[in-house]
Amino acid sequence: MQEFWNFAGQYWWLVFPVFGMTMGAVNARVKHREVAARRRHREQIELIRAQGGAVPASISAPIVGAPVADAQQRAVDAHDAVTHRWLEYELDASKLITYPAMSDGRQPLTAAFLRAKKVADNLRPRTDEVLSPDRLKEYREAVTDYEVAFDVAERDARRVKDAAFTADERKRLDTAKQLLSVATDQAATPNERQVAYRRVREELNGLIWLSDEAVDVLEKKVALELPRGSGDTPRTPLIPPEPAV
């Protein structure tokens, strides 16, 4: 026993690196458990959403704590990431034609996603606003629901594609997609682009609704200048689609 205390008295400084190694191992273990818990958390919510059920508060609540500012920023970043993924469909006419369910609010999963988006948007903090712990908890839950609802809606839209349309309607969608490639082809003449653009709008009329923002993006692509020296005449304003009779 005396030898132990003699050794401890001479090498007492070893306690610091040993303590550091021990705490590092503990922290790594805690981090691993946190990541696993978050993964299980999202999987639970996704399963419930896919089955059309309501997510209990005990499941949707945040699992681990974090400094308010960091947690809030992570929630905002996650919110923005989902919105960016949604805008890739909302502003891209080609993707909407390929996966029309993403713009169809009559589809249950799409409707659920849009509701979750509205809730998350309403709870989003203003610039420089720091949420209280209770409001942050509510916002984080809303962002999680938003993210899960989008994932489920996107997978379903990619699975069904245009299955909800009749054979004639699917033919119109295929025609619109082909014409869209002409309308945005930089090698085509301005007149060819305009004619193709007008036909695209006619084919989509009554099938897929394009937002004003999507139309604006599409028209900018259609109105691209041809390479200099092509000899083509200047483009004329785009011709809007004629109203359905």
Side-chain angles (χ1 to χ4, degrees):
M1 189 66 178
Q2 185 61 38
E3 292 179 357
F4 170 79
W5 290 114
N6 290 338
F7 176 85
Q10 294 177 6
Y11 298 97
W12 58 269
W13 51 271
L14 289 174
V15 70
F16 295 105
V18 172
F19 179 78
M21 293 172 62
T22 302
M23 291 305 298
V26 171
N27 289 336
R29 180 63 178 172
V30 171
K31 183 66 175 179
H32 174 75
R33 293 180 62 183
E34 176 182 340
V35 172
R38 288 183 181 276
R39 184 174 61 252
R40 290 194 302 271
H41 172 221
R42 291 186 56 189
E43 289 173 351
Q44 283 181 300
I45 297 179
E46 184 172 345
L47 178 60
I48 293 172
R49 287 290 188 190
Q51 294 174 342
V55 180
S58 60
I59 293 179
S60 62
I63 297 176
V64 293
V68 173
D70 292 343
Q72 178 172 311
Q73 187 58 50
R74 285 197 295 271
V76 170
D77 291 344
H79 190 164
D80 289 342
V82 181
T83 300
H84 177 75
R85 291 169 61 193
W86 171 65
L87 288 176
E88 289 180 354
Y89 290 94
E90 185 71 6
L91 302 181
D92 190 332
S94 179
K95 292 190 73 171
L96 278 181
I97 293 173
T98 305
Y99 307 110
M102 289 301 292
S103 67
D104 189 354
R106 296 169 299 179
Q107 297 294 328
L109 295 178
T110 302
F113 154 68
L114 293 174
R115 288 194 298 269
K117 179 183 184 302
K118 184 175 181 180
V119 173
D121 289 346
N122 288 338
L123 293 173
R124 183 188 179 97
R126 299 185 303 273
T127 304
D128 298 329
E129 179 184 9
V130 178
L131 299 178
S132 66
D134 288 342
R135 284 195 58 202
L136 176 58
K137 176 178 179 292
E138 185 180 14
Y139 176 55
R140 291 174 65 187
E141 291 173 352
V143 171
T144 298
D145 289 349
Y146 177 37
E147 184 176 21
V148 170
F150 178 85
D151 288 342
V152 173
E154 182 182 44
R155 281 203 300 271
D156 188 67
R158 288 178 174 272
R159 177 181 61 84
V160 302
K161 293 187 177 180
D162 57 2
F165 294 89
T166 65
D168 181 62
E169 290 171 338
R170 287 196 292 271
K171 184 177 180 180
R172 288 174 57 188
L173 290 176
D174 289 339
T175 300
K177 194 168 185 179
Q178 294 173 11
L179 290 168
L180 185 61
S181 64
V182 176
T184 57
D185 185 358
Q186 193 173 5
T189 66
N191 185 63
E192 289 172 336
R193 292 181 193 168
Q194 292 176 52
V195 172
Y197 170 78
R198 181 174 59 190
R199 287 286 310 282
V200 169
R201 298 297 301 276
E202 290 173 351
E203 294 294 344
L204 295 182
N205 187 34
L207 296 182
I208 295 178
W209 178 79
L210 296 178
S211 66
D212 292 341
E213 294 80 4
V215 171
D216 184 59
V217 170
L218 177 57
E219 289 188 347
K220 287 179 180 178
K221 291 181 179 179
V222 175
L224 287 175
E225 294 282 1
L226 292 173
R228 292 183 179 181
S230 62
D232 290 303
T233 57
R235 67 175 183 270
T236 56
L238 298 177
I239 304 173
E242 297 178 358
V245 178

